[in-house]
Amino acid sequence: MRRTLDQALTGISGILVTPYDGNGDIAPQKLVPILDRALGAGLHMPVVNGNTGEFYALTTDEASTMVREVVALVAGRAPVLAGVGRGIRDAQALAKTSANAGATALMVHQPPDPFVAPRGIVDYLKAIADASGGLPMMLYLRNDAIGTKAIADLCAVPGVKGVKWATPNPLKLAEAKAACDPDIVWVGGLAEVWAPALYAVGARGFTSGLINVWPERSLAIHAALDAGDYVSANKLIAGMKAFEDIRAEEMNGTNVTGVKAALQALGRDCGPTRPPSAWPLTKAQQDKLEAFIAENGLH
């Protein structure tokens, strides 16, 4: 049964890679085996044009193609969350394209512009909502320095359904959650490793890049957390932490590199990453990745 958006948000938001062909052009069809395996394992919601999808390395035209293709490949098997962002005109164009493609909701990247006013982000969200025709929005919060009041103002914008909390500050998350409408869904945005800490203060569900490589482990972690079994969840996380450690190296510059290198090693080559992401892994990093794959019997 297809899940509702609220149910999907409290599950795993699986951030898909963006595959490239031999010429470096996007090749969305390479996602077929990745999506089939992840959805077969129970993935709650695929996410296109997220950071693991190298959103900032794509042109707006490429991102538009990716959302159209991913919605078609998912073919109604799950809700699809579509990332939008960058300059307001690009964000509006991508929001409109995502709505027309059949995306279920938008994930709005926090603007990286050097001159961002919290009240300006309110206007940014309203403009995106108008362009999409009112698709529900999930805020991708990577910097909580804007403060609790500003976060509450953003969550009060009509159409905001959830927040992907991607900062390692559980207490600030708890404070923000208390200041906002109780219907807002707070999602752990720092993948599996941080999920227990964020769950402890009220987050539900988490984002994952691991689903591209080992969706079964991600789903097992989610099931344990959903049952309140932190002991089992932490044990399962310990068994995949080496993968996340590789992704966190070089100021997180190997975040996508680790995923794509693993896919390459497993015979599901999605091409390299684009600069300024690191490519390829160093020998030491590759050795760690190969040990991780061998120790867990991945295939």
Side-chain angles (χ1 to χ4, degrees):
M1 180 183 296
R2 177 170 165 145
R3 299 174 178 89
T4 66
L5 176 60
D6 282 354
Q7 290 170 332
L9 286 173
T10 61
I12 297 175
S13 299
I15 320 297
L16 301 168
V17 296
T18 295
Y20 305 126
D21 64 19
N23 295 319
D25 296 320
I26 59 171
Q29 288 297 317
K30 290 187 176 186
L31 286 173
V32 170
I34 295 168
L35 271 169
D36 286 350
R37 179 173 178 176
L39 291 169
L43 175 64
H44 307 87
M45 184 161 60
V47 182
V48 60
N49 294 328
N51 282 339
T52 302
E54 298 179 79
F55 177 65
Y56 288 99
L58 304 178
T59 66
T60 300
D61 284 345
E62 287 176 323
S64 296
T65 299
M66 285 302 302
V67 69
R68 286 191 291 263
E69 292 290 328
V70 167
V71 171
L73 292 174
V74 173
R77 289 176 287 173
V80 175
L81 189 62
V84 303
R86 296 195 284 254
I88 186 59
R89 294 293 179 90
D90 283 331
Q92 287 177 300
L94 193 47
K96 184 175 182 180
T97 296
S98 299
N100 290 339
T104 310
L106 303 176
M107 179 182 73
V108 183
H109 289 267
Q110 192 169 9
D113 190 297
F115 305 115
V116 178
R119 62 189 171 97
I121 306 178
V122 170
D123 293 335
Y124 185 79
L125 293 176
K126 289 178 178 177
I128 289 170
D130 287 345
S132 77
L135 273 188
M137 295 182 292
M138 178 183 186
L139 310 183
Y140 184 3
L141 189 76
R142 289 175 58 84
N143 177 7
D144 56 27
I146 61 173
T148 298
K149 182 185 181 303
I151 294 169
D153 288 343
L154 298 181
C155 288
V157 173
V160 173
K161 295 286 290 180
V163 178
K164 174 183 172 180
W165 187 274
T167 82
N169 299 313
L171 295 182
K172 287 189 176 182
L173 165 57
E175 186 176 292
K177 185 175 184 294
C180 294
D181 187 317
D183 288 337
I184 296 289
V185 179
W186 299 82
V187 177
L190 294 171
E192 289 83 357
V193 172
W194 273 91
L198 298 180
Y199 256 72
V201 295
R204 287 297 175 268
F206 55 86
T207 58
S208 174
L210 183 67
I211 61 94
N212 292 278
V213 176
W214 196 11
E216 297 82 5
R217 175 54 61 97
S218 296
L219 269 295
I221 292 166
H222 180 270
L225 287 171
D226 207 36
D229 186 353
Y230 283 76
V231 172
S232 294
N234 283 320
K235 184 176 180 181
L236 290 164
I237 290 166
M240 53 75 66
K241 187 173 179 295
F243 181 68
E244 293 299 316
D245 288 345
I246 293 166
R247 298 179 67 201
E249 291 189 15
E250 299 185 57
M251 297 177 62
N252 287 314
T254 51
N255 186 293
V256 188
T257 317
V259 179
K260 284 193 162 182
L263 287 169
Q264 195 175 67
L266 296 170
R268 295 188 288 278
D269 188 2
C270 286
T273 60
R274 288 177 175 175
S277 172
W279 187 267
L281 292 178
T282 65
K283 184 180 185 305
Q285 291 164 345
Q286 186 69 34
D287 289 346
K288 291 177 193 174
L289 178 65
E290 290 174 3
F292 167 77
I293 290 171
E295 286 166 11
N296 290 288
L298 300 187
H299 55 83

